[in-house]
Amino acid sequence: MDPRAEAAFSQQQDRITNREVYDPEQPEEEKRFLRQEYRRLIQQTELEHRAELQRPDSEGVLRNLKRAGELIGQVKQTYEASLDSRLLVLSADINHEKARKMRVEHGAFDSEDYVARLVTVMGGRQAAETAQGAAESLQQMDWARLGRTAGAYMRCVPAADFILGPISLEQRSRNVTRTGQRNVDRSAAASRPVELTGDEVQRQENETTKNVMAIAVLLEKVGPINLFEFIINPHSFGETVENLFHLSFLIRDGKATIDDESGEPMLACCLPPTSDDYQRGLTKKQLVLELDPPTWKVGCIMHGDASMRWCLPLAARS
Amino acid sequence: MTLEMNRKVKDLVRLALAAERQRVPLKREDIAKKVLKDHSRAFRVIFEKTQVQLRRVFGMELVELPTREKAQQIGVSAARRAAVHREKTSTNTFVLRSILPAELRHAELIDWGEDAALMGFSMVVLSLIYVNERTLSEERLHHYLRKLGVTERPHPQLKSLEVALMRMVKIGYLDRVTSSGDSGDVSAIEYRWGPRAKVEMDEREMADFVVKVFGDQAPADLVQSIRRASGVIDASTA
C-alpha cells in the first residue's frame, strides 16, 4: 500500500475510535465510580428531594446538573451515557412542574385554595368544632349536599327507579331454557350405532356365497347369453354392479367363461380347469371390467328389455 | 307510524332508561339484538323517533360517547392531545344526557337519592383534573382528596377513596392511564376525563361550579384563571 494512503487510513481510524469520546477498554473502576455517582444523583433527584426541589428557590436541580456536567467528561461508554440522559430527562420534568407551580404563585388558579373552600362549603369547618379529631370531622362533610348543588352544573340523568329490570334480563333467562331443551332433544334423538355380532358377520359372508351360487344356477339355465343382457337390471345401477360382482367369482373360479370371438361378450358355463391343466402351463390372468352409469345406460338401451327376465329373481331377494 | 314501529320505539326508550339506571353505556349491537331483532336496518328511523320521545317526555336524549383517547405518553400537553384526538370514528355507544335548561337544573328539583354523594365527589374530582391542565397524577389527586377526608379508610358516604374512584372509572367519568417509566421501574398513574364526563360536562358550567364553591370571595378574574389552568390558550384571556 502507498505509504501516504496508509497514513491517511490510520488517521481516519484514530478519528473514529477516538479514545477521548468512546473507549471500549475503560477501566472497570472508573465505570463503577461513574455509575455510582449517577445513580446517587438520580435517586436524590427522583425520590428524596422531589417535593423540595419544586420550591421556586430550590437550587437542587441546578446543583445536580452541574455535578453531572463534571461527570460527563469521564463517560466513555454507552451505559453510563444513558444514565446521564436519564438524569437530564428527570430534571426537565421537575423543572416543568416547577414552572407550573410558579404560575400559581403569580395570581393564577390555586388548587389548594379550591380544596380548602370545598371543605368550608361541605361543612368541614363547623364539624371540626364538634368532633374530637380532625380526621373524623373531615369524614362528616356533606358530600350529598355538594352533589345536589353539582347536579345543576352537570347534565347527568337521574336513575329511573320505576323501571322493572332491563329488557335484556328477561331475554337471557328465556335463552337459558331454550338451550336446555335443545340439549335434552339431542340426547334423546341420538341413536345407538348398530352392533354387529359375530353371527351377523357370518351371515353376510354367506349372503355373497349364496348369491354366487344362485347366479351359477341361473347361468346354467339360460346360458350361453350376452354378458350385459345377463347382468343388467334396467331399474337399478346398484344391483347391476352387484350382479357383476357376484359373477366375477364364477369367472375367477373358472366356472363361467366370456367368449368375445363373435364380437359379442358371450357368457357361458364351463368346467373349471383341473390341476393337470395348470401343470400344462395354464396361467391365471386378471382383468378389470369397468361399469359406470353411462355404460350401464347404454347397456339398458341395448339389452334392458331382454335382461328383465333374468334379473327379477335377484331384485326380489332385496 | 306503524304499530310495530311504535312498539320498537317504546322498547328502545325503556332499554335506554334501564341501561342508564345501571349507568352502563348502551351499545348499538345491543339495540339491534334486544329491540330491532330482525329489523336491524331500521336503526336510524327507530333511533330518531326514540329521541323525539325521550326529549319530549323525559327531558333526555341519547348521545354517542366520544372515542377514548389512545393510550398516550403521560405528560403530553392538552393542546397536543386535542390535535391528535380530532380524527375520530364513531363508537356506536350511547348514554343518556339531560336536556333540561340550566334554569330548571338550578332549581334543584330532582331527587338524586343515593347518587348525590357520588355526584358531589365526581364533580370535585373532575374539576380538580380540569384545573390541572386536564390531567392529574394519582399522587396529587390522593393528596387533594386526603384534605377532603377521603382516604383508604372506610368513609361513611363514599365507602373509601379506592371504591369511589373505581366507581367513577366504571361509569366512564374517569380514564385511568398507566404508564411504566422508561426504565420500567416506577409506574405513573394519571387521571383524565372519561368519555361520559366529556358528554355530561360543559367547560363553562364546570367553571361556574368552581366559582360557586368560592362564593362571595371569588376573585373577579376567577373564570379566566380557571380557563388558563385548564390548559386552554386563547387570545381573549391571555
Side-chain angles (χ1 to χ4, degrees), chain A residues 86 103 111-112 114 117 121 139 141 143-144 146-147 152-157 160-161 167-168 170, chain B residues 14 21 23 34 60 98 105 116 124 127 132-133 143-144 147-148 154 156-157 185 200-201 212 214 217:
Chain A
R86 219 175 116 197
R103 271 213 317 242
S111 302
E112 299 284 345
Y114 173 52
R117 307 248 173 201
V121 168
Q139 289 221 330
M141 293 198 303
W143 285 92
L146 187 76
Y153 296 90
M154 55 206 291
R155 299 170 71 182
C156 177
V157 157
D161 279 320
I167 308 173
S168 57
E170 302 166 20
Chain B
R14 185 161 170 252
R21 195 185 133 71
R23 304 279 181 221
K34 289 166 187 165
M60 306 169 182
S98 166
R105 280 186 279 142
V124 167
S127 60
N132 281 281
E133 294 187 15
H143 161 78
Y144 292 137
K147 291 195 166 184
L148 291 167
Q157 292 165 71
D185 42 13
E200 284 184 12
M201 305 294 171
K212 167 108 179 165
F214 275 83
Q217 292 154 340

Side-chain angles (χ1 to χ4, degrees), chain A:
Chain A
M1 203 190 270
D2 173 14
R4 261 166 56 207
E6 204 173 320
F9 178 78
S10 74
Q11 233 175 10
Q12 175 97 8
Q13 200 179 28
D14 274 355
R15 210 166 42 241
I16 292 168
T17 57
N18 187 351
R19 301 269 153 140
E20 289 296 307
V21 178
Y22 173 67
D23 180 6
E25 280 138 34
Q26 186 177 24
E28 200 62 33
E29 309 137 54
E30 258 180 60
K31 287 198 286 186
R32 223 172 271 146
F33 167 74
L34 283 169
R35 287 180 197 180
Q36 209 172 12
E37 274 299 281
Y38 272 118
R39 288 215 183 90
R40 191 180 57 79
L41 288 176
I42 289 168
Q43 203 182 20
Q44 213 175 28
T45 312
E46 198 171 47
L47 298 165
E48 299 164 33
H49 297 284
R50 189 151 196 158
E52 194 224 340
L53 291 174
Q54 279 182 43
R55 284 206 313 262
D57 54 345
S58 167
E59 299 281 315
V61 172
L62 197 62
R63 201 183 54 233
N64 285 349
L65 280 177
K66 271 188 185 148
R67 176 79 185 120
E70 290 161 20
L71 291 173
I72 190 75
Q74 299 170 50
V75 170
K76 297 280 158 50
Q77 284 201 18
T78 48
Y79 185 81
E80 287 73 37
S82 80
L83 284 175
D84 181 71
S85 36
R86 219 175 116 197
L87 181 67
L88 269 179
V89 170
L90 198 64
S91 306
D93 278 354
I94 289 173
N95 273 341
H96 175 74
E97 273 180 56
K98 202 161 134 183
R100 238 167 45 171
K101 262 213 117 146
M102 274 164 134
R103 271 213 317 242
V104 171
E105 277 160 31
H106 289 104
F109 190 84
D110 185 353
S111 302
E112 299 284 345
D113 190 21
Y114 173 52
V115 170
R117 307 248 173 201
L118 280 169
V119 174
T120 312
V121 168
M122 287 191 280
R125 301 262 179 273
Q126 288 147 291
E129 285 162 20
T130 50
Q132 288 98 351
E136 223 171 291
S137 73
L138 285 175
Q139 289 221 330
Q140 283 172 19
M141 293 198 303
D142 196 349
W143 285 92
R145 200 173 77 193
L146 187 76
R148 281 190 291 276
T149 311
Y153 296 90
M154 55 206 291
R155 299 170 71 182
C156 177
V157 157
D161 279 320
F162 51 84
I163 295 277
L164 275 173
I167 308 173
S168 57
L169 217 66
E170 302 166 20
Q171 245 202 355
R172 202 176 297 157
S173 61
R174 216 183 295 149
N175 274 345
V176 168
T177 46
R178 207 181 291 148
T179 45
Q181 279 171 350
R182 218 181 289 136
N183 283 343
V184 170
D185 284 348
R186 203 178 299 141
S187 63
S191 54
R192 285 179 57 196
V194 179
E195 271 179 50
L196 287 179
T197 60
D199 287 355
E200 276 161 339
V201 176
Q202 198 73 34
R203 214 168 59 220
Q204 272 195 335
E205 279 170 4
N206 290 348
E207 201 89 18
T208 305
T209 325
K210 228 162 67 193
N211 285 333
V212 173
M213 301 274 278
I215 286 198
V217 170
L218 194 65
L219 183 61
E220 210 156 337
K221 220 156 67 186
V222 302
I225 186 173
N226 180 294
L227 168 72
F228 290 105
E229 193 178 324
F230 186 68
I231 62 162
I232 276 178
N233 177 351
H235 301 294
S236 163
F237 173 68
E239 263 182 30
T240 306
V241 174
E242 267 189 65
N243 290 342
L244 183 62
F245 169 71
H246 293 134
L247 177 67
S248 68
F249 285 95
L250 295 181
I251 306 280
R252 183 200 61 185
D253 295 344
K255 288 178 184 163
T257 169
I258 300 172
D259 178 13
D260 58 354
E261 257 172 34
S262 62
E264 269 188 79
M266 293 306 287
L267 192 63
C269 282
C270 65
L271 287 171
T274 60
S275 50
D276 290 347
D277 293 330
Y278 286 118
Q279 267 171 6
R280 257 177 267 136
L282 184 73
T283 52
K284 285 194 173 184
K285 279 192 293 190
Q286 284 186 354
L287 71 115
V288 176
L289 185 64
E290 194 180 309
L291 182 65
D292 53 2
T295 316
W296 169 66
K297 277 194 187 126
V298 172
C300 286
I301 294 162
M302 288 171 68
H303 307 285
D305 294 340
S307 65
M308 287 295 284
R309 295 169 289 165
W310 323 123
C311 295
L312 275 175
L314 280 179
R317 161 184 57 87
S318 64

